[in-house]
Amino acid sequence: TFTVIPDLSAAITPTKTNSVIHINVCCSIGVESESTIGFVLVKNNYDRFIRAGDAGSRQGVTFRNTNPAAADCNVATFTCIDHPGSTDEQVYGLAFAGHGLNDMHINRAHTNSDSAALDHSQAISTFTVMEIITG
């Protein structure tokens, strides 16, 4: 089951109907143990937006990442273009799901101890949208 990441989203109102929207996502993730995390880029009412098609019993995702250990906080990135064809506000977000029942965390490793060691440091995620006016 995919869960929308609160506060990791962006809204933009295109000025022209033929504009394209450049979307850039950088997500810092930590997991309880080695695990694969799938991400789906969502748009407006959090309908699935950009993802691969399902094939057999395989789920389609926008991008994915595998974290090797609980002390790791990996970065997953994705860049794409949307053609909304409208001057209505567009709201983009990110949803994620993990393989298995491992705990997943955004912007920190699973261990998250109060330690000066860098493997316990906090991280950031960013979600950027830009209008590109064409024609």
Side-chain angles (χ1 to χ4, degrees), residues 1-3 36-40 48 50-64 95-100:
T1 302
F2 284 89
T3 302
T36 299
I37 300 100
F39 295 90
V40 175
R48 286 186 174 198
I50 296 177
R51 67 180 186 96
D54 296 334
S57 59
R58 295 181 299 264
Q59 294 184 64
V61 296
T62 307
F63 60 101
R64 67 180 189 185
F96 73 109
H99 178 263

Side-chain angles (χ1 to χ4, degrees), residues 28-29 73-75 106-109 121-125:
S28 298
I29 50 177
C73 187
N74 285 359
V75 175
I106 304 299
N107 296 338
R108 69 174 181 86
S121 59
Q122 302 293 302
I124 64 167
S125 296

Side-chain angles (χ1 to χ4, degrees), residues 5-126:
I5 302 171
D7 302 322
L8 190 57
S9 62
I12 191 168
T13 304
T15 57
K16 295 186 175 198
T17 58
N18 64 340
S19 292
V20 296
I21 305 300
H22 178 260
I23 303 161
N24 188 40
V25 179
C26 177
C27 188
S28 298
I29 50 177
V31 294
E32 182 179 2
S33 60
E34 183 177 344
S35 183
T36 299
I37 300 100
F39 295 90
V40 175
L41 188 62
V42 294
K43 180 178 172 180
N44 296 333
N45 294 313
Y46 295 103
D47 295 328
R48 286 186 174 198
F49 170 46
I50 296 177
R51 67 180 186 96
D54 296 334
S57 59
R58 295 181 299 264
Q59 294 184 64
V61 296
T62 307
F63 60 101
R64 67 180 189 185
N65 190 307
T66 300
N67 277 29
D72 291 337
C73 187
N74 285 359
V75 175
T77 62
F78 181 76
T79 299
C80 70
I81 298 288
D82 182 31
H83 303 268
S86 167
T87 56
D88 295 336
E89 181 182 65
Q90 306 296 307
V91 180
Y92 301 94
L94 193 62
F96 73 109
H99 178 263
L101 300 175
N102 295 324
D103 288 340
M104 294 175 283
H105 310 279
I106 304 299
N107 296 338
R108 69 174 181 86
H110 175 72
T111 50
N112 200 38
S113 300
D114 187 11
S115 168
L118 282 177
D119 57 347
H120 297 282
S121 59
Q122 302 293 302
I124 64 167
S125 296
T126 59

